[in-house]
Amino acid sequence: MSVVAELEQLAAFSTASPPAVTRVVFSQEDMHARACLKQLCRNAGLAIREDAVGNMFARWHGTNPQAGAVGTGSHIDAIPNSGRYDGTVGVLGGLEAIRLLQRSRFQPERSIDLLLFTSEEPTRFGIGCLGSRLLSGTLDPAVADNLVDAEGQSLRELRNRAGFQGPLQEVRLSPDHYSAFIELHIEQGPLLESSGTALGIVTALAAPASLRLEIHGEGGHAGAVLMPHRRDAFIGASEIALAIEKAALSTGAPDTVATTGCCHVFPNAVNSIPSRVTLEVDVRDIEGERRDSVVRIISDAAKRIASERRLQIEIAIVNADPPAYCDERVVAALEQAAAALGLPQTKMISRAYHDSLFMSRIAPVGMLFIPCRGGVSHRPDEYAAPEHIADGVRTLAEALRLLASGFYRAAKIYEP
């Protein structure tokens, strides 16, 4: 079965009608998709291990089991009403890369792992890259186990119900577990397609800071409270949202972005003045200090606006992850692999964040991007052409071959 056919097979495990895909972690659809993937891995002769949060490791054993393994993989959970390529190309493409190497009769010195990360998307628990955060030790296991979904179900309850048991403390990997890790992914942007370039070799990953702002005003009847006397929480929130945009633009750097992605209005009635609004904000940059300065600007502006409008405000920083740079050796392996295959390549940064961001805390990492049509992602019309997927898989396979058989230059972090 081809990768494209396997992508179609996995896309069928969804609560949304085709071509949309919705697959929330630990849902029935997610568990069916995991079972399908495990069977594909068994068919390839890979040894499967799952940890307490459901991260899956499918290993092709090398001749030197004492050496740090080489990893590749991504995620298969999908946000509501999204597409079939985000994450899944990296998982099924990684599996196909291993099968390509097996068909070529290559025997790895270092073991090669295919990883499936649990809950890269924040859909269920409000925090992204849950599995890789725990693998890298960047999330307190006790905090993780007590995360709850919208129905009040905890991660502990849900993972146990799904068959993933044991203490989360045991999920963390040692820093020498992987000698290298590569994630194949669709670009989720338009640059490769617009330039006609087959491959993007990532040198840095931007990281988000997430903020939650709760603005309290005073409700009242939409007709009875006159304009000069209003303390409208939504109008204040709207002004804050504009200030967030202005703060991002103020740096003058194209890599600084800020998004007010969620706005919850209470009581959300057409004839009632909003008394409470919650904003959820995402700020990203590849420069951590610059991103954090924007967060401070947003906080100061929000407090000023609330004061001027006689509102109360609570600001919480949900997370502020440091950006990451890719390892020069892994970047070099990807460049050499693409060149050997005669494929046009370019270096680029990832403005979306991925599990590789957290894997970089414990392993040398790299990312390989392939074009996606129109730069569209997280939508049902997300699409990657079969020939682009094939280019990515072949390049990944060659890079894995190099890294699993002694491609070792002096390790150094690549900084653009």
Side-chain angles (χ1 to χ4, degrees):
M1 186 181 292
S2 70
V3 176
V4 172
E6 288 171 350
L7 284 164
E8 291 179 0
Q9 184 180 21
L10 218 60
F13 302 113
S14 168
T15 56
S17 300
V21 177
T22 299
R23 189 164 50 240
V24 177
V25 67
F26 300 143
S27 65
Q28 185 178 36
E29 292 72 27
D30 180 49
M31 298 311 294
H32 287 325
R34 286 168 177 265
C36 175
L37 177 64
K38 282 191 280 189
Q39 188 56 55
L40 292 173
C41 290
R42 291 190 189 99
N43 293 346
L46 306 183
I48 296 172
R49 176 179 76 85
E50 293 172 301
D51 66 19
V53 79
N55 292 314
M56 188 188 87
F57 309 80
R59 173 158 291 195
W60 182 18
H61 287 287
T63 58
N64 183 2
Q66 306 306 316
V70 177
T72 188
S74 195
H75 67 99
I76 62 169
D77 60 315
I79 68 169
N81 201 48
S82 62
R84 66 180 59 181
Y85 299 90
D86 173 23
T88 52
V89 164
V91 176
L92 293 173
L95 175 58
E96 178 61 10
I98 291 172
R99 293 186 299 218
L100 277 178
L101 292 172
Q102 290 174 333
R103 290 196 291 270
S104 73
R105 300 188 181 280
F106 169 69
Q107 180 59 56
E109 176 188 343
R110 294 174 178 268
S111 297
I112 299 177
D113 277 0
L114 175 69
L115 278 73
L116 167 64
F117 295 103
T118 288
S119 195
E120 192 267 357
E121 304 291 3
T123 308
R124 186 152 207 174
F125 298 107
I127 183 171
C129 298
L130 178 59
S132 55
R133 286 179 192 269
L134 287 165
L135 282 178
S136 60
T138 54
L139 177 62
D140 184 334
V143 171
D145 241 350
N146 288 299
L147 292 170
V148 294
D149 66 7
E151 297 175 357
Q153 301 175 97
S154 72
L155 172 62
R156 182 187 293 107
E157 295 174 70
L158 289 164
R159 69 181 179 88
N160 287 344
R161 195 180 306 159
F164 305 120
Q165 300 179 346
L168 289 186
Q169 287 82 353
E170 296 179 1
V171 170
R172 185 174 184 175
L173 297 177
S174 65
D176 60 352
H177 190 88
Y178 287 113
S179 61
F181 175 81
I182 302 175
E183 186 170 3
L184 172 65
H185 210 281
I186 59 172
E187 181 195 353
Q188 299 181 291
L191 300 181
L192 292 176
E193 183 185 56
S194 62
S195 65
T197 308
L199 300 168
I201 297 175
V202 175
T203 59
L205 293 92
S210 300
L211 293 80
R212 184 177 295 112
L213 297 85
E214 192 161 293
I215 301 105
H216 297 266
E218 188 173 277
H221 193 285
V225 181
L226 301 182
M227 299 304 288
H229 305 299
R230 293 193 177 196
R231 296 170 55 215
D232 188 322
F234 177 70
I235 298 301
S238 301
E239 190 173 346
I240 289 169
L242 292 172
I244 290 166
E245 179 189 47
K246 184 178 179 181
L249 292 169
S250 71
T251 70
D255 297 323
T256 310
V257 293
T259 306
T260 306
C262 296
C263 179
H264 306 285
V265 180
F266 181 84
N268 198 32
V270 68
N271 61 344
S272 181
I273 299 166
S275 61
R276 184 177 73 248
V277 173
T278 302
L279 300 179
E280 295 184 32
V281 180
D282 181 297
V283 184
R284 302 188 188 206
D285 206 317
I286 61 166
E287 294 292 339
E289 290 184 11
R290 189 169 59 205
R291 182 204 63 190
D292 292 345
S293 73
V294 170
V295 170
R296 288 192 293 271
I297 292 169
I298 289 170
S299 181
D300 291 344
K303 291 173 184 175
R304 174 183 54 78
I305 291 165
S307 176
E308 291 172 354
R309 291 189 168 275
R310 298 177 294 121
L311 304 169
Q312 301 297 317
I313 189 166
E314 299 168 13
I315 303 172
I317 298 177
V318 179
N319 64 274
D321 301 304
Y325 292 101
C326 293
D327 180 80
E328 186 184 60
R329 176 173 51 84
V330 182
V331 168
L334 287 166
E335 288 180 305
Q336 184 169 319
L341 295 167
L343 294 171
Q345 57 179 284
T346 187
K347 288 191 175 81
M348 62 195 309
I349 67 167
S350 174
R351 290 179 172 84
Y353 79 107
H354 304 277
D355 289 303
S356 290
L357 179 70
F358 298 97
M359 290 299 289
S360 72
R361 314 292 188 248
I362 56 169
V365 303
M367 286 198 73
L368 181 65
F369 281 171
I370 60 171
C372 55
R373 186 173 60 195
V376 167
S377 184
H378 283 191
R379 285 175 16 189
D381 54 338
E382 176 182 272
Y383 178 76
E387 60 269 24
H388 292 148
I389 296 172
D391 287 344
V393 168
R394 290 190 299 135
T395 304
L396 175 62
E398 177 62 14
L400 292 175
R401 185 187 69 78
L402 290 169
L403 292 166
S405 57
F407 185 83
Y408 286 95
R409 300 181 181 181
K412 180 182 175 184
I413 297 300
Y414 181 87
E415 298 193 26

